[in-house]
Amino acid sequence: MTWWEALVLGVIQGLTEFLPISSSAHLRIVGDLMGQDPGAAFTAITQIGTEAAVVLYFRRDIARIIGRWAQALPVGPWKNQVPSSDPDARMGWFVICGSIPIVVLGLLFQDAIEHALRNLYLTALVLTVFAVILGIADVRGRKERVLTQLTWKHAWLYGFAQSLALVPGVSRSGGTITAGLLMGYTREAAARYSFLLAIPAVLGSGFYQLVKSGGTGGAAGFGPTLLATIVAFGVGYVVIIAFLKIVSTYSYLPFVYYRIVLSVIVVALLLAGVVAPLPST
């Protein structure tokens, strides 16, 4: 991978990670068009950059949630300093339990995730299918619940929705936001919880792939991967600010239309032989 290709892919990762349009699908498609499939390791590692942007943006919320969660534990130096019913303490547990499905399924289906599920025909299909589901959720969802009304059942459902993003084209944020809208949460509440829920899973996956590659960044190489990760961090931070402002005012329908158009383009490229269904090994 060249430095220029890494720069382009870093920008794409930062632009698409938080939008419900699937960053992994975009990296797969654009990488193939450049003749340089980035691979699952590159995708996971560059997501460390975008998640670092989430940690920076939500640093006060994260610090408060961790602090109150620790103070509500029945053991430890701060045990029982706050009630277990405290909203921030509960949020800590919700993020933990919501992260379990994607960790378990990611480990069980690791080989398929890194190979078979990266088929662009499948990517095109799920881009359209989940676009329709997101559109229905955005139009039909009650949009009444706020995050303080999150329940254990909903936390688990959010978690399973997030795990669908193991298939490129679903979109991690798209899956969790869609689930939130279907359960009656406001657009902003669904987006904010999507950001918080992603932190353990995405950082865990990124550092796992980094260690697995021996610190080299996989086939892309250490230097290009590092550049893409840094670029993804900067672009991602700006996108977080803009995205939260947009969803508090407008609907998700533009993203629905975008996903469908992208799906059609991918199928056209496949039929024309411009891109291959599966990356070369």
Side-chain angles (χ1 to χ4, degrees):
M1 182 178 293
T2 66
W3 294 99
W4 170 249
E5 290 168 340
L7 176 64
V8 171
L9 292 175
V11 170
I12 291 171
Q13 168 63 26
L15 285 174
T16 59
E17 172 65 19
F18 307 117
L19 306 180
I21 56 177
S22 180
S23 62
S24 58
H26 281 75
L27 290 176
R28 170 76 175 86
I29 295 163
V30 176
D32 210 357
L33 287 173
M34 295 191 303
Q36 181 62 258
D37 176 64
F42 176 89
T43 300
I45 294 169
T46 54
Q47 286 177 337
I48 295 175
T50 45
E51 287 312 305
V54 173
V55 173
L56 177 62
Y57 184 84
F58 289 101
R59 60 190 181 280
R60 293 184 180 87
D61 291 335
I62 294 169
R64 188 185 66 252
I65 290 169
I66 294 175
R68 302 291 281 181
W69 173 80
Q71 290 174 324
L73 291 174
V75 295
W78 306 287
K79 65 178 182 180
N80 298 324
Q81 289 188 11
V82 299
S84 58
S85 59
D86 179 85
D88 287 321
R90 284 168 57 85
M91 180 59 70
W93 284 115
F94 290 153
V95 170
I96 291 172
C97 78
S99 300
I100 293 174
I102 196 170
V103 172
V104 173
L105 293 175
L107 291 174
L108 287 176
F109 299 101
Q110 181 179 346
D111 186 67
I113 293 165
E114 295 181 356
H115 300 96
L117 294 182
R118 291 169 61 77
N119 189 307
L120 282 180
Y121 278 112
L122 177 60
T123 298
L125 174 63
V126 297
L127 277 169
T128 296
V129 170
F130 281 89
V132 173
I133 298 173
L134 173 60
I136 294 171
D138 195 38
V139 172
R140 294 293 188 90
R142 297 192 310 274
K143 306 178 189 71
E144 299 171 345
R145 288 178 171 269
V146 295
L147 284 186
T148 53
Q149 296 175 289
L150 189 63
T151 65
W152 285 102
K153 177 183 176 181
H154 288 175
W156 280 107
L157 290 174
Y158 263 118
F160 280 107
Q162 177 177 246
S163 67
L164 295 175
L166 294 170
V167 181
V170 173
S171 170
R172 184 200 51 75
S173 61
T176 51
I177 288 170
T178 299
L181 293 173
L182 289 173
M183 292 185 291
Y185 289 87
T186 66
R187 293 188 182 107
E188 186 174 4
R192 282 183 171 272
Y193 186 62
S194 174
F195 287 137
L196 294 174
L197 184 60
I199 294 172
V202 176
L203 287 180
S205 173
F207 284 112
Y208 170 77
Q209 289 289 355
L210 185 61
V211 172
K212 183 181 176 182
S213 69
T216 65
F222 175 78
T225 302
L226 178 61
L227 173 63
T229 303
I230 293 172
V231 171
F233 166 78
V235 175
Y237 189 82
V238 175
V239 171
I240 293 172
I241 298 171
F243 183 55
L244 288 175
K245 289 182 179 179
I246 290 171
V247 299
S248 63
T249 308
Y250 304 102
S251 76
Y252 285 107
L253 291 182
F255 300 113
V256 172
Y257 302 141
Y258 176 86
R259 289 176 64 104
I260 293 173
V261 170
L262 179 62
S263 176
V264 172
I265 292 173
V266 171
V267 172
L269 292 172
L270 284 165
L271 294 177
V274 177
V275 295
L278 288 170
S280 58
T281 55

